[in-house]
Amino acid sequence: MKFLFLGDIVGKPGMSAVLQNTQRIREELDLDYVIANAENASDGSGLMPKQFERLIDGGIDGVTLGDHIFRRKEIIRTLEKSDRIVKPANYPDEASGRRWSLVKRGGRRPLAFVSIMGRVFMRPVDCPFKALDEVLAEIEPHTDHILVDVHAEATSDKQCIGRYLDGRVTAVLGTHTHVPTADTCILPSRTAFQCDVGMCGPYESIIGRDIERVTHTTRTAEPCHFHVATGDVRLCGAIVESDAEGRAVKIERFEQRVIVN
Ligand SMILES: [Fe+2]
Ligand SMILES: [Fe+2]
C-alpha cells in the first residue's frame, strides 16, 4: 500500500492547493489513499461541512482534525453522519464523532485512520496512550494498515506516542505545529514516523498567518485578527509505503510548491 498524508490545510490557499492538485498527485504517485488534516481549513480555524464535502469530492479519502475541531460548530453534523472524518480519539466519549474510521477503495486493502492529541502545552484531553490501546483493539479485526495523526505541540510528546505504537501501526505522523521536521524514519519495529509533516498552506507566514499581524500582537499584546497569509503556498505531507502486513517499508517527505488561483 502507498498512501499520502497531508498536514494541516490552512485557509483558502491551503484548500485551493489541495483541491487543485490532489487528483494529479494521486495519479503521478500512484497512491492508494490520501488522508488530510483539515483543522485549519475555515479561514485558518475549523472546518465547514461544505469544505469537507469538497475535499472528499476532490480526492481526499479521509479527514482528521485537532484542537480546532469545534471552531465551526456546523461540523458537528458532519462528524455525526460521515465515516470519512474522525475526532481525536482522546476527546470525550460524549463529543460528536468517531474515534477511528476505515477507507477502502476498489480491491485495495482498507486503511484505518486515527487522530490523537498530545497533552504537553495543549488543553486537557484524556490519556492518549489509553485511548490508543482501546482504538487499536477495535481496529484489529478490520485491517493491519493504520495511520495515526498525532496532533501535538511538543516533539517529545510525539516521539513518546510514536515509540509506544511502534510495531502496532503503519505510521505515526505529526500535525499541529505546521512546520515540517527533518526526522522521517522507520522505527525499529517498522512503524513510519515524522514529528510534523508540515502544513498545506502559505509558508510566507507565521504558521500560516499574516506575519505583520502576528508580530504586532506578539510585541504589543494587543489582540487583532490573524488573517491567513497568501505567499509561497506549499502542499506538505509524508508518503508511506507498507507491506501486506501493514508494516512500513518506506517513508518520504512530500513537499510541492503550487500556484493557486
Ligand atoms: Fe492544532
Ligand atoms: Fe493546525
Side-chain angles (χ1 to χ4, degrees), residues 39 67-68 151 176:
E39 71 147 2
D67 52 315
H68 294 308
H151 197 81
H176 178 69

Side-chain angles (χ1 to χ4, degrees), residues 197-219:
V197 300
M199 65 174 171
C200 296
Y203 277 73
E204 182 64 19
S205 71
I206 307 293
I207 63 169
R209 305 302 183 113
D210 181 84
I211 296 165
E212 272 179 37
R213 293 209 155 220
V214 176
T215 308
H216 174 80
T217 292
T218 306
R219 290 183 65 218

Side-chain angles (χ1 to χ4, degrees), residues 164-176:
Y164 188 68
L165 295 182
D166 185 19
R168 301 166 69 193
V169 305
T170 312
V172 176
L173 301 172
T175 54
H176 178 69

Side-chain angles (χ1 to χ4, degrees), residues 8 37 39-40 65-68 117 122 151-152 175-178:
D8 311 50
N37 182 305
E39 71 147 2
N40 304 104
L65 295 159
D67 52 315
H68 294 308
M117 297 249 312
M122 304 282 286
H151 197 81
T175 54
H176 178 69
T177 48
H178 294 200

Side-chain angles (χ1 to χ4, degrees), residues 6 8-9 13 35 44 46 51 57 62-63 68 87 103 120 124 140 151 153 165-166 172 175 212 215 219 234 237 240:
L6 292 169
D8 311 50
I9 300 170
I35 308 289
Q51 293 179 309
D57 292 344
V63 170
H68 294 308
K87 68 174 175 180
V103 284
V120 177
E140 199 189 336
H151 197 81
E153 188 74 41
L165 295 182
D166 185 19
V172 176
T175 54
E212 272 179 37
T215 308
R219 290 183 65 218
R234 299 183 215 170
V240 175

Side-chain angles (χ1 to χ4, degrees), residues 34 41 99 119 238 243 246:
V34 184
R99 298 177 92 193
R119 293 191 293 187
D243 65 15

